[in-house]
């Protein structure tokens, strides 16, 4: 088996988009923990419980399990749980066993994302959720999707922190020769767990992804500024402008087209990861054709990554023990991310995992 990146449990992870969580039961798996999500009638907030009935382990996210008000009624024998995971009814008897409860997980809803905390609930601080305000900010419009990948989540982190692969894997969409040819700068904030990788390209070819959506004709100046908040949130601040566009009068960013490309990297289990992706823009916000083009184009790019990472995972599974991996300058950000993830795992193990039931 290939090396698997360990899970940092005492961290926030995206379990779903806000629009996915409603009065229909939704099943997801995060860090190997099966979860059921729904939205409470009482306050509209998301509820996240362990997705296994305590009685015979029937998945609570599967029909004919249903909601009765804000209580979840197991579709197998009718065990009923409230929003804290406490069982309030069992069939055939009045006494509910003391152990009849399922875990309830801390949850935070920010920027149209539903975040869940799998580790020690006493350590869950909603204020520590990394922000991606462009996902639902006024004046921005977003297309989004999610693809499961049968690969270690560390491989997806590597993929996103080294965009030189765009030139080869995503040619004809977002890749041009300049991406691979242009050196990067990397900044690492070890304490905050943030990695920044920047690549600024002058007089570059305009890839179809931007040429067709912005209408730019000819060559461009292109900026790629990555901000990765370990372990889960990745934002690529992307800017393109016709070559030679003068800087803004206030000395800020040059005029151009600003796009925020967001990924939430959520391990669902060993060798499995949810790839939540979104493309947000503050230009052509009323143009449905641009929406459709960016959605289809970015999903094509994502599926190219999915296929490549699925293949890579299978390949690594067949490698002989002790094979040597070669890293170069373009891997600086990815190697820093690995270091930070290892530290978060170690710190999490020191903190313990806490109680596995609702408090």
């Amino acid at each position: 088996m290939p090396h698997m990146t360990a899970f940092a449990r005492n961290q926030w992870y995206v379990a779903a988009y806000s629009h996915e969580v409603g009065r229909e039961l939704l099943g997801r798996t995060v860090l190997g923990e099966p979860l059921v999500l729904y939205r409470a009638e009482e306050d509209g907030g998301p509820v996240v419980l362990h997705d296994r009935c305590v009685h015979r382990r029937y998945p609570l996210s599967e029909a004919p399990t249903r909601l009765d008000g804000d209580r979840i009624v197991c579709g197998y024998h009718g065990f009923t749980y409230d929003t804290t995971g406490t069982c309030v009814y069992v069939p055939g008897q009045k006494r509910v066993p003391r152990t009849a409860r399922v875990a309830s997980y801390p949850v935070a809803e920010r920027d149209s994302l539903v975040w869940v905390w799998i580790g020690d609930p006493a350590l869950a601080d909603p204020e520590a959720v990394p922000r991606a305000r462009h996902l639902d900010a006024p004046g921005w419009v977003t297309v989004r999707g999610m693809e499961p990948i049968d690969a270690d989540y560390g491989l997806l982190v590597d993929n996103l922190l080294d965009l030189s692969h765009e030139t080869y894997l995503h040619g004809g969409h977002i890749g041009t020769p300049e991406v691979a040819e242009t050196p990067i700068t990397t900044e690492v904030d070890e304490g905050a767990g943030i990695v920044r990788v920047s690549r600024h390209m002058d007089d570059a070819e305009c890839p179809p992804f931007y040429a067709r959506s912005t209408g730019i004709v000819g060559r461009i100046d292109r900026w790629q500024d990555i901000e990765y908040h370990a372990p889960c949130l990745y934002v690529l601040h992307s800017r393109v402008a016709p070559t030679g566009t003068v800087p803004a009068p206030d000395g800020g960013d040059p005029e151009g087209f600003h796009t925020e490309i967001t990924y939430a990297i959520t391990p669902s289990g060993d060798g499995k990861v949810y790839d939540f992706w979104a493309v947000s823009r503050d230009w052509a916000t009323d143009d449905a054709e641009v929406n459709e083009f960016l959605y289809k184009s970015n999903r094509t790019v994502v599926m190219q990554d999915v296929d490549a990472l699925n293949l890579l995972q299978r390949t690594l599974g067949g490698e002989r023990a002790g094979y040597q991996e070669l890293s170069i300058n373009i891997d600086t950000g990815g190697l820093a991310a690995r270091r930070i993830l290892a530290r978060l795992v170690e710190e999490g193990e020191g903190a313990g995992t806490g109680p596995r039931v609702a408090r």
Side-chain angles (χ1 to χ4, degrees), residues 14 25 31 35 39 43 76 79 85 95 105 108 141 148 192 220 240 269 306:
V14 173
L25 298 170
L31 309 192
L35 309 176
R39 200 170 287 281
D43 61 4
Y76 194 14
F79 277 63
R95 187 184 70 83
Y105 299 87
V141 64
I220 59 170
V240 298
V306 170

Side-chain angles (χ1 to χ4, degrees), residues 69-348:
D70 282 346
R71 295 175 171 182
I72 191 166
V73 182
C74 179
Y76 194 14
H77 295 99
F79 277 63
T80 302
Y81 305 90
D82 65 16
T83 57
T84 71
T86 303
C87 185
V88 294
Y89 168 82
V90 299
Q93 62 186 60
K94 288 210 163 76
R95 187 184 70 83
V96 176
R98 184 179 52 82
T99 57
R101 54 197 294 123
V102 297
S104 173
Y105 299 87
V107 61
E109 191 166 18
R110 301 280 189 279
D111 310 320
S112 77
L113 300 171
V114 176
W115 296 79
V116 66
W117 183 276
I118 299 297
D120 182 347
L123 300 177
D125 176 11
E127 295 305 310
V129 170
R131 301 304 300 267
R133 291 177 172 84
H134 50 270
L135 289 175
D136 64 357
W140 288 79
V141 64
T142 299
V143 295
R144 66 186 80 203
M146 190 277 279
E147 296 296 336
I149 308 178
D150 291 325
D152 175 53
Y153 81 97
L155 296 180
L156 181 55
V157 175
D158 277 352
N159 172 280
L160 293 172
L161 280 169
D162 173 20
L163 295 181
S164 67
H165 78 274
E166 289 183 352
T167 299
Y168 302 97
L169 191 62
H170 305 311
H173 295 281
I174 58 175
T176 66
E178 291 83 5
V179 183
E181 291 167 1
T182 304
I184 60 167
T185 59
T186 305
E187 294 178 15
V188 182
D189 186 333
E190 296 276 357
I194 299 173
V195 180
R196 295 181 174 89
V197 180
S198 295
R199 178 185 276 106
H200 296 175
M201 295 160 271
D202 293 328
D203 191 21
E205 180 185 327
C206 187
F209 184 84
Y210 288 114
R212 287 186 55 189
S213 57
T214 66
I216 291 176
V217 177
R219 298 179 70 79
I220 59 170
D221 295 336
R222 184 179 182 185
W223 298 261
Q224 293 178 327
D225 295 304
I226 295 168
E227 197 175 309
Y228 170 59
H229 297 254
C232 188
L233 187 71
Y234 168 104
V235 180
L236 168 61
H237 308 291
S238 173
R239 293 167 284 170
V240 298
T243 294
T245 302
V246 295
D250 61 0
D253 294 339
E255 297 294 333
F257 296 86
H258 294 64
T259 308
E260 302 284 359
I261 299 169
T262 309
Y263 285 86
I265 304 162
T266 302
S268 54
D270 287 333
K272 293 182 180 296
V273 59
Y274 294 130
D275 182 355
F276 291 89
W277 60 267
V279 178
S280 307
R281 69 187 193 279
D282 62 357
W283 45 272
T285 53
D286 296 326
D287 194 322
E289 286 186 21
V290 172
N291 278 356
E292 185 177 5
F293 171 76
L294 290 178
Y295 174 82
K296 287 182 176 178
S297 186
N298 204 70
R299 186 174 184 277
T300 297
V301 167
V302 168
M303 291 310 297
Q304 289 172 334
D305 282 334
V306 170
D307 291 343
L309 295 179
N310 285 345
L311 173 60
L312 186 55
Q313 183 76 21
R314 293 194 300 272
T315 302
L316 291 173
E319 286 282 3
R320 68 186 188 281
Y323 71 90
Q324 289 296 309
E325 181 184 65
L326 173 67
S327 295
I328 57 174
N329 289 343
I330 59 173
D331 301 306
T332 307
L335 294 175
R338 292 183 188 182
R339 219 169 40 243
I340 290 170
L341 288 171
R343 175 176 60 79
L344 294 178
V345 170
E346 190 177 334
E347 289 175 355

